[in-house]
Amino acid sequence: MPGVLLLISLSVIAAVWWWLATPVTLARAPIDPAAKLYCVSYAPFRDDQTPLNPDLIVSPEQIQEDLIELAKISQCVRTYSVDNGLDRVPELASKVGLKVLLGVWIGDNRQKNALLSDTAIALAREYPDTVKAIIVGNEVMLRGEMTPSVLRETIRSVKTRVNIPVTYADVWEYWLLYREIAEDVDFVTIHVLPYWENMPVRAEDAAAHVIAIQKQVALAFPGKEILIGETGWPSNGRMREGALPSRTNQARIVSEMLDLAKRENIRVNLIEAYDSLWKREWEGTVGGNWGLFDGVYRKLKYPAGVAISNYPFWKLQMEGGMVLAVLVFAAAGLALRRSLSSPRPASWIAVAISATTAGILLGMAADKMFYESYGLGRLLGWGSLLAAAIASPMLCANALMSGRSLPTFLELIGPREGRTFSVPTMVLGFVLTVTTLLAAEAALGLLFDPRWRDFPFASLTMAVVPFGTLALFKRPKSGLRPIAETTFAALFAATAIFAMFNEGFDNWQSLWTCAAYFLLGMTLYRARSASIAGTTSTIPTAVSEAVLSSRDSGGVETDRSRSHAGKNVVAAPLG
């Protein structure tokens, strides 16, 4: 039976990964060097570089390296500022034949606004054949850093000193709220990001949504050209309702959007050229994965003629999962060699479920850890959860065949007389503790700060399914329910209920995570601590021994001892 189940497990793992890696076929290549993009947003920051560092000056060599690659796929780049070394972009772009939509990053500091505006004006005059327009401000109204009157004054101060078009860029709704701003710009620049809409748009509807919004805004501003200044889709990160970031979705949306824009004669600037890894600290994983180029290796994600898959390394991920499944069965087999009784068929089925689940999800969990682990703390947390998820199915399979139940936290860190000193049980308990604590940290994030939080569905499920099967088959028949497990179970149940409704029923990442939390909560709630029951039951016995001892001493002391012992006997059950 074990051999048959192992073959079934390996077959399921292979089939699922073959299905997951199925490439998409697009009618139009998302990035076609023969049909260059109109424009693409560009920020040069790499590794730990960030525009939030006012002292950072990106080297011209680094910018030049990027622009050479961008000139192969685009006619133009849009920038957002002229500080941090970005004032060199017009000069360097002119050398590779790129045009520039030059951005001026303005805010609530009027003195700095004037200084940056002067720099942009000087660059426009120095490179008139390269700088095609100046974008004065980016989402200033959205951030609430300016009033409409101050913004209009700033735009006019730039417009009167240059001979090229001047515009302002913001989310499309804010143009409709503050229509008077259109009087001072040469064309209207709107941002339409289907993923970030208040009502997130599914990937299959995203391109049509962008074009529909452009037409809606055009009706509000007759006679003004409407430039789509930002649009795109993330290739990785958490779902928002039915909006799923993925490589295939990003490629499909870019392809469809460019095709529609060409047919409708609409100018589109894609966001963005390179993945902006620094944005992950502020917008989560999804914030750093909008690029057409990889942010680390600076390579095009979707070269023309190459199949597009969500898991380009799926064979390696599948093989790793199959190896883990074999190890899970091996752990069960090693325990069985030391067992004096034969396991029930249901036990082997439980092992097969854990092995198959872990084998399917290992590659997915590793992929998520790679993209979602930014910063040392995040890397340690997500790495520890993945390590626990790898260890859990092997340890639980071994425990199931050895007849050991899932330990309680009291058996690990409680009173010495109730602790376990079995090394395999201690290791299993340690993995359970790590999983519970990391799951609790993620749960609190989903409860109190959910907007940027990723869903740990893959690693959490890998760890929780084996715990659940072990608790089902090897539950202690007696003992009291521990307070710690009950508290964590309540937290996980509350998180699952809240996230289910807060994220919506179209968000399968959320629903999957909620199911894992429910399973972990039920597993912990089923725990019973025999050590608590044993400690409680020894109290009356100890008191009885004290009474018998006092009787042997005789006289008045015996009466006093009996009196005190009687009080203790009555009090013991209340304690």
Side-chain angles (χ1 to χ4, degrees), residues 329-402:
F329 273 89
L334 287 174
L336 190 59
R337 291 179 62 182
R338 302 176 184 177
S339 178
L340 299 178
S341 59
S342 299
R344 293 179 297 169
S347 296
W348 276 114
I349 293 174
V351 170
I353 291 172
S354 296
T356 306
T357 302
I360 292 171
L361 295 179
L362 176 62
M364 194 181 300
D367 190 70
K368 285 175 64 62
M369 188 193 76
F370 176 80
Y371 285 103
E372 296 172 7
S373 297
Y374 42 92
L376 180 59
R378 186 87 168 176
L379 178 61
L380 289 175
W382 253 215
S384 298
L385 182 58
L386 178 58
I390 294 172
S392 170
M394 291 186 286
L395 293 172
C396 288
N398 186 274
L400 187 62
M401 294 302 177
S402 300

Side-chain angles (χ1 to χ4, degrees), residues 44-217:
F45 310 105
R46 304 183 187 180
D47 302 323
D48 58 350
Q49 294 176 342
T50 167
L52 301 176
N53 177 7
D55 299 322
L56 171 68
I57 301 296
V58 179
S59 70
E61 292 78 15
Q62 180 175 315
I63 295 173
Q64 183 77 67
E65 184 180 315
D66 287 342
L67 296 182
I68 290 173
E69 293 301 314
L70 292 179
K72 298 175 183 177
I73 66 163
S74 181
Q75 305 171 42
C76 156
V77 292
R78 175 192 170 182
T79 62
Y80 291 80
S81 181
V82 290
D83 51 6
N84 297 115
L86 282 161
D87 56 322
R88 299 294 300 274
V89 169
E91 173 197 352
L92 299 173
S94 66
K95 296 179 180 180
V96 294
L98 282 168
K99 306 301 181 184
V100 178
L101 299 181
L102 190 63
V104 183
W105 189 271
I106 59 176
D108 53 11
N109 186 330
R110 287 203 175 198
Q111 184 176 359
K112 185 174 182 180
N113 293 344
L115 180 63
L116 295 176
S117 296
D118 290 343
T119 301
I121 291 166
L123 290 171
R125 291 172 176 173
E126 186 175 357
Y127 301 99
D129 295 331
T130 299
V131 179
K132 306 309 293 180
I134 295 179
I135 303 176
V136 182
N138 182 74
E139 298 184 352
V140 177
M141 302 305 298
L142 173 66
R143 298 195 304 274
E145 294 179 351
M146 269 188 180
T147 63
S149 59
V150 173
L151 175 59
R152 294 181 66 185
E153 177 186 332
T154 306
I155 294 171
R156 287 194 296 266
S157 71
V158 174
K159 188 175 179 179
T160 56
R161 291 187 283 166
V162 295
N163 296 319
I164 58 174
V166 175
T167 185
Y168 164 69
D170 212 324
V171 177
W172 66 272
E173 293 100 329
Y174 279 79
W175 276 105
L176 298 181
L177 283 174
Y178 303 102
R179 301 189 182 202
E180 63 271 25
I181 298 173
E183 298 174 13
D184 299 297
V185 300
D186 294 298
F187 60 92
V188 173
T189 302
I190 62 172
H191 295 171
V192 190
L193 300 171
Y195 173 87
W196 283 125
E197 294 281 26
N198 292 331
M199 298 290 290
V201 180
R202 300 173 70 92
E204 51 264 36
D205 303 320
H209 171 80
V210 172
I211 301 302
I213 292 298
Q214 193 274 349
K215 291 182 177 181
Q216 179 183 340
V217 176

Side-chain angles (χ1 to χ4, degrees), residues 28 95 240 243 295 323 386 401 437-438 486-487 504 538:
R28 179 190 189 280
K95 296 179 180 180
R240 292 189 72 235
V323 169
L386 178 58
M401 294 302 177
L437 292 177
L438 292 174
T486 303
T487 302
T538 61

